[in-house]
């Protein structure tokens, strides 16, 4: 049996090696490493795949979120509502820009932002909502967009974990993650469902004026060479990474199917284990399973992880500490106990290996050992 990894990028690469190598050779021959034809080709192909008017490639997913907020001309002290159960980048960029992150709890089933908590958190200073499509499925965008319209708020989708997921509205309209709000953001970090071989990210919008602003901001605030109309940043996707992404984009739906097969195997294996709560999939969104995250109840999680480590099976915790309890983000507005769902999730969640190359032998070994670990670690 092959070694089990959380993400097996090498095996995935070997399947598309010829295509990747050819694309990289093309870039090397052209030496157009920055904003070259390969970046423009990937941009166009991603626009077509997502059904969105504008894709603006950038340096990474965190930059995507920061640049998105910068494009909206928000002022220091303006409030941005987001979830406390997410990767730090979501709130990090808000704080970096002098804006005020306003945190709310998440839904206990889907782990996505609790829509009922959003409206309660709105004040006259609120300017935007940043829903996170966590672990691979979309937040309840229909209700979020309705709230945003009611209160005249921007919606910036953090789709860094859900590219390729599809959300269906009650009228039957279907849209891809990141294309429903004012702006969408994604990361191409290597372990993402659509990942490059370094850092990369992109911003999406259907608004022509915002797209114009975004393109200037990622290029030092410059629309005409050496004329800088605004304060910008230097955040670009290089041609080598665009080449990788353009190859992998063709396989993105196939990758999602493979991940769903893994999730189905896990679901069946754990269906009768009362100490494991398998992921709940929304009836409005497909799930692309960036992570397969369970809740382990009534067990010593550290003992469970140690048992799995002895069997050479990686198990991760996404995330061990909610944002409001992180040292860098401690705020007198928030105390321990304010967001009970997120705090409980941080004590219970475990994520299993999830990638496109897992085979049945590996899955059998993982599931059998996790069930044994549950018994070993039961309180």
């Amino acid at each position: 049996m092959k070694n089990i990894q959380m993400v097996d990028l090498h095996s995935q690469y070997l399947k598309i090696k010829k295509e990747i190598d050819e694309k990289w050779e093309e870039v090397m021959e052209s030496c157009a490493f920055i904003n070259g034809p390969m970046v423009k080709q990937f941009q166009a192909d991603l626009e077509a795949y997502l059904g969105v008017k504008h894709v603006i490639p950038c340096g990474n997913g965190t930059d995507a979120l920061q640049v998105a907020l910068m494009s909206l001309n928000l002022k220091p002290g303006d409030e941005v509502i987001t979830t406390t159960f997410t990767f730090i980048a979501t709130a990090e960029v808000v704080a970096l820009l002098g804006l005020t992150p306003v945190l709310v709890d998440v839904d206990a089933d889907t782990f996505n932002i609790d829509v009922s908590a959003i409206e309660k958190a709105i004040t006259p200073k609120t300017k935007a909502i940043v829903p996170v499509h966590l672990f691979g499925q979309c937040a309840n965008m229909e209700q979020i967009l309705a709230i945003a319209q009611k209160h005249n708020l921007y919606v910036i989708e953090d789709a860094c974990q859900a590219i390729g997921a599809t959300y269906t509205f009650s009228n039957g309209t279907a849209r891809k993650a990141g294309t429903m709000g004012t702006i969408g953001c994604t990361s191409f970090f290597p372990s993402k469902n659509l990942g490059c071989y370094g850092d990369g990210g992109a911003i999406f919008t259907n608004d022509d004026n915002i797209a114009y602003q975004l393109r200037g901001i990622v290029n030092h605030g410059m629309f005409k060479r050496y004329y800088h109309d605004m304060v910008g940043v230097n955040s670009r996707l290089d041609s080598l990474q665009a080449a990788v992404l353009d190859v992998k984009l063709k396989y993105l739906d196939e990758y999602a199917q493979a991940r769903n097969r893994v999730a189905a195997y896990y679901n069946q294996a754990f269906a009768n284990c009362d100490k494991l709560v398998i992921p709940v999939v929304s009836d409005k969104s497909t799930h692309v399973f960036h992570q397969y995250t369970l809740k382990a109840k009534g067990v010593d999680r550290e003992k469970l992880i140690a048992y799995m480590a002895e069997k050479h099976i990686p198990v991760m915790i996404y995330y061990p500490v909610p944002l409001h309890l992180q040292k860098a983000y401690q705020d007198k507005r928030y105390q321990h106990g304010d967001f009970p769902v997120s705090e409980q999730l941080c004590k219970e969640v475990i994520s299993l290996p999830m990638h496109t190359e897992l085979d049945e032998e590996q899955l059998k070994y993982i599931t059998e050992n996790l069930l044994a670990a549950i018994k070993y670690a039961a309180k």
Side-chain angles (χ1 to χ4, degrees):
M1 183 177 68
K2 292 191 301 183
N3 289 339
I4 296 172
Q5 303 174 58
M6 284 299 291
V7 182
D8 186 354
L9 293 175
H10 186 253
S11 294
Q12 186 188 69
Y13 163 66
L14 291 178
K15 290 184 176 179
I16 55 175
K17 183 180 187 303
K18 185 174 184 292
E19 294 175 84
I20 295 288
D21 292 354
E22 287 175 353
K23 287 277 191 177
W24 272 22
E25 185 174 348
E26 187 178 332
V27 174
M28 297 305 295
E29 287 294 329
S30 72
C31 289
F33 299 117
I34 303 295
N35 290 332
M38 199 66 72
V39 176
K40 292 179 174 60
Q41 182 63 57
F42 170 63
Q43 174 185 320
D45 290 343
L46 187 55
E47 286 169 348
Y49 173 83
L50 293 171
V52 71
K53 285 181 70 176
H54 305 284
V55 166
I56 296 87
C58 63
N60 54 68
T62 305
D63 281 2
L65 289 162
Q66 179 174 324
V67 170
L69 288 167
M70 289 173 71
S71 74
L72 300 175
N73 297 314
L74 305 182
K75 308 300 181 190
D78 285 348
E79 294 177 351
V80 178
I81 297 172
T82 193
T83 164
T84 191
F85 187 65
T86 182
F87 182 61
I88 200 70
T90 311
E92 185 175 49
V93 296
V94 178
L96 281 170
L97 293 173
L99 309 172
T100 302
V102 174
L103 303 176
V104 299
D105 215 340
V106 296
D107 177 78
D109 291 331
T110 65
F111 310 148
N112 278 324
I113 194 166
D114 181 354
V115 175
S116 67
I118 294 175
E119 198 148 18
K120 296 174 186 175
I122 293 172
T123 76
K125 293 183 177 181
T126 305
K127 295 296 186 290
I129 307 167
V130 182
V132 180
H133 302 319
L134 200 67
F135 299 150
Q137 67 176 328
C138 297
N140 190 335
M141 287 302 296
E142 186 156 13
Q143 290 189 33
I144 291 168
L145 291 172
I147 292 169
Q149 184 175 22
K150 176 181 175 182
H151 296 278
N152 194 29
L153 304 176
Y154 298 113
V155 176
I156 300 98
E157 295 175 69
D158 182 339
C160 293
Q161 298 187 17
I163 191 166
T166 301
Y167 183 90
T168 302
F169 290 84
S170 56
N171 65 2
T173 302
R175 300 282 295 276
K176 292 290 188 184
T179 69
M180 295 170 275
T182 314
I183 306 173
C185 304
T186 200
S187 164
F188 300 131
F189 188 78
S191 63
K192 301 297 187 191
N193 292 36
L194 181 60
C196 55
Y197 295 157
D199 265 324
I203 315 162
F204 321 135
T205 187
N206 285 303
D207 187 303
D208 295 342
N209 292 327
I210 290 175
Y212 179 79
Q213 298 292 316
L214 292 167
R215 290 195 178 97
I217 292 169
V218 300
N219 193 29
H220 299 286
M222 180 172 62
F223 300 97
K224 180 180 178 182
R225 193 168 180 83
Y226 301 127
Y227 290 81
H228 305 273
D229 295 351
M230 63 178 69
V231 175
V233 297
N234 177 23
S235 184
R236 296 176 294 210
L237 180 72
D238 73 70
S239 297
L240 288 168
Q241 303 309 331
V244 173
L245 292 164
D246 206 40
V247 170
K248 293 177 75 172
L249 179 60
K250 296 185 298 183
Y251 300 102
L252 183 56
D253 290 342
E254 182 181 316
Y255 291 162
Q257 291 167 10
R259 288 171 177 269
N260 271 271
R261 286 194 293 272
V262 171
Y265 190 102
Y266 284 150
N267 287 347
Q268 185 174 6
F270 305 138
N272 297 319
C273 180
D274 60 0
K275 293 188 180 299
L276 289 174
V277 180
I278 61 177
V280 175
V281 178
S282 165
D283 60 359
K284 290 179 172 290
S285 175
T286 61
H287 205 314
V288 295
F289 286 100
H290 174 59
Q291 303 293 348
Y292 182 90
T293 301
L294 305 116
K295 290 184 279 188
K297 293 183 171 289
V299 301
D300 183 325
R301 188 170 61 176
E302 296 308 313
K303 284 181 68 175
L304 182 153
I305 292 172
Y307 182 99
M308 296 292 277
E310 288 182 3
K311 302 297 182 180
H312 306 290
I313 302 170
V315 174
M316 298 293 291
I317 301 173
Y318 306 113
Y319 299 94
V321 182
L323 299 193
H324 69 285
L325 298 181
Q326 295 282 358
K327 184 177 180 180
Y329 294 85
Q330 287 178 357
D331 189 304
K332 63 183 179 181
R333 293 174 298 161
Y334 305 124
Q335 306 297 324
H336 192 282
D338 284 352
F339 305 110
V341 175
S342 295
E343 291 176 32
Q344 189 62 30
L345 288 175
C346 287
K347 297 174 183 176
E348 294 179 343
V349 291
I350 58 170
S351 295
L352 299 182
M354 171 54 78
H355 55 82
T356 58
E357 309 308 307
L358 284 163
D359 60 40
E360 189 161 347
E361 182 183 18
Q362 291 174 312
L363 291 172
K364 185 173 186 291
Y365 183 77
I366 293 166
T367 54
E368 287 179 350
N369 276 288
L370 182 59
L371 292 171
I374 288 290
K375 292 179 181 178
Y376 169 76
K379 292 180 179 176

